Amino acid sequence: MEEYKKRIVKTIQFIDNNLDTELSLEKVAEIAAYSPFHFHRIFRMITDETVQNYITRKRIEKSAFYLALRKNLTVKDIYHQFGFSNHSAFNKTFKKYYGKSPSEFRKLAPENFHKIQNKESKNGQIDTVFDQYICNIENLLNWRNMNLKIKVTELQEMNLAAVMSLGIANVEPSYNILIDWAKTKRLFPKENVKMLSVYHDSFKVTPPDKVRIHACMLLDEPLKKQEGEVFPETIEAGKFIIGSGEVTLHDFEQCWVSLFLWMKENNYAVRKVFPFEIYHTNFKEHPEGKMLVDFCIPIH
């Protein structure tokens, strides 16, 4: 099973980095070094969806994210970028996932993107729900001012050891795999070791059981090759919005929402690098379950 997962990790990274190209089953299976038939079965066993469904979902979710946050791109720019041959095919597929056309979605998204959720309705159809957030904007901003210190700064390149998690429920097991690996390398426990979560999907456009999160550890030297389920990952140097605070796990959504609102208020644009969290303390060691966290958004 570990060898299967290792190859699937490699394949998923390839798919996500090549959503703008032709991704046939044969081509993707070749990356995993399996026959198309064998690969299709293994991929579905590990991810709980077919290869084609995964590729289509990723293209639509990335399109939704760009429609909401990349206003410099036209709808045509976006669907061409993510491999759709024409507007009709893109429109039909997008509606299947979000219940609205791309143009309708874009009109609603500017003021409501922080409230977007994919939700299973009673008849099983997926709808886009612009529901009321747990607190209104004014209260959210007050909470942000009380709990987060925000700055814009340059960060150097970061070399990470990572373990992939598909679905929020699998994040803790991924960290356990990473820590076990780090112990064998005498990298853990170690003073000032930094753990990170890198978000390769947004909860606002991807269902929680499909979100891809990498459980990561910051390294002094880059990891040269994949070792079992642990693989190298790099966060490129650049400009970031960083919101820092001592919060509980329950506060994480408010932190991210308020930080993206701050980004919008201050006219910054998100960069094509994945947002991440840096943990400076362990919530399990705090009597109130709090931890010091940096929430980092890459920007231009």
Side-chain angles (χ1 to χ4, degrees):
M1 179 61 76
E2 183 176 309
E3 179 60 26
Y4 287 160
K5 286 183 178 179
K6 181 178 177 180
R7 295 196 197 183
I8 294 300
V9 165
K10 183 179 179 182
T11 306
I12 286 174
Q13 289 177 314
F14 175 80
I15 291 172
D16 287 3
N17 291 332
N18 293 276
L19 290 171
D20 56 344
T21 66
E22 180 65 31
L23 291 169
S24 65
L25 175 60
E26 290 74 17
K27 185 175 182 179
V28 176
E30 185 179 343
I31 297 298
Y34 287 121
S35 70
F37 175 76
H38 194 195
F39 172 72
H40 186 270
R41 294 180 65 185
I42 293 168
F43 190 93
R44 185 163 190 171
M45 176 180 69
I46 291 176
T47 66
D48 200 32
E49 59 186 325
T50 67
V51 178
Q52 191 54 54
N53 282 350
Y54 179 84
I55 292 170
T56 300
R57 178 174 64 79
K58 292 297 294 186
R59 284 174 167 164
I60 289 297
E61 288 170 358
K62 293 293 184 184
S63 299
F65 195 76
Y66 275 34
L67 285 165
L69 298 179
R70 299 287 292 274
K71 298 305 165 50
N72 58 313
L73 299 177
T74 66
V75 173
K76 186 175 182 180
D77 290 335
I78 292 170
Y79 74 68
H80 276 162
Q81 182 166 342
F82 292 109
F84 292 92
S85 58
N86 57 66
H87 185 273
S88 177
F90 178 58
N91 193 67
K92 182 178 179 181
T93 309
F94 195 93
K95 272 190 171 183
K96 178 182 175 183
Y97 279 80
Y98 291 106
K100 290 178 173 59
S101 71
S103 298
E104 292 171 326
F105 183 93
R106 171 167 263 181
K107 286 178 183 177
L108 289 168
E111 298 305 323
N112 295 285
F113 187 66
H114 64 287
K115 303 176 187 176
I116 297 172
Q117 295 177 354
N118 282 337
K119 184 177 179 180
E120 291 285 345
S121 63
K122 292 180 181 178
N123 61 6
Q125 298 298 311
I126 297 176
D127 299 315
T128 302
V129 180
F130 295 84
D131 60 355
Q132 180 118 20
Y133 191 61
I134 57 173
C135 54
N136 62 36
I137 295 298
E138 183 178 351
N139 286 342
L140 182 62
L141 298 183
N142 289 337
W143 183 91
R144 180 184 72 194
N145 293 337
M146 292 174 61
N147 291 276
L148 289 180
K149 293 181 180 179
I150 300 174
K151 65 181 179 180
V152 175
T153 189
E154 296 280 340
L155 293 180
Q156 296 181 340
E157 180 180 273
M158 286 184 268
N159 297 304
L160 309 174
V163 174
M164 183 183 295
S165 165
L166 291 175
I168 188 68
N170 293 315
V171 173
E172 186 169 354
S174 294
Y175 270 110
N176 291 337
I177 292 169
L178 179 63
I179 289 171
D180 287 343
W181 169 86
K183 287 178 178 177
T184 67
K185 302 290 182 179
R186 296 187 178 179
L187 298 172
F188 189 93
K190 188 177 178 182
E191 190 176 355
N192 296 324
V193 64
K194 293 290 188 295
M195 310 298 284
L196 297 82
S197 290
V198 181
Y199 292 88
H200 287 254
D201 293 312
S202 167
F203 284 97
K204 300 309 175 187
V205 293
T206 304
D209 63 333
K210 302 294 186 186
V211 166
R212 181 155 70 93
I213 302 170
H214 290 180
C216 300
M217 176 181 290
L218 183 62
L219 303 177
D220 294 330
E221 299 292 335
L223 183 64
K224 294 181 179 179
K225 63 178 182 179
Q226 184 167 349
E227 300 180 12
E229 293 186 55
V230 181
F231 56 90
E233 180 161 7
T234 301
I235 294 176
E236 298 176 4
K239 185 185 292 186
F240 292 83
I241 296 171
I242 301 179
S244 303
E246 187 176 36
V247 295
T248 66
L249 293 174
H250 179 73
D251 297 324
F252 274 37
E253 183 179 7
Q254 285 179 292
C255 292
W256 280 115
V257 170
S258 62
L259 208 56
F260 272 104
L261 284 174
W262 190 94
M263 180 187 75
K264 180 182 174 184
E265 291 165 2
N266 290 274
N267 298 313
Y268 288 107
V270 69
R271 185 159 45 94
K272 197 176 179 180
V273 178
F274 300 109
F276 56 93
E277 298 156 355
I278 304 175
Y279 311 120
H280 297 281
T281 59
N282 187 344
F283 74 93
K284 293 181 180 180
E285 298 173 356
H286 191 284
E288 296 176 20
K290 292 185 177 182
M291 58 198 305
L292 289 172
V293 186
D294 292 339
F295 299 87
C296 307
I297 301 175
I299 56 171
H300 292 289

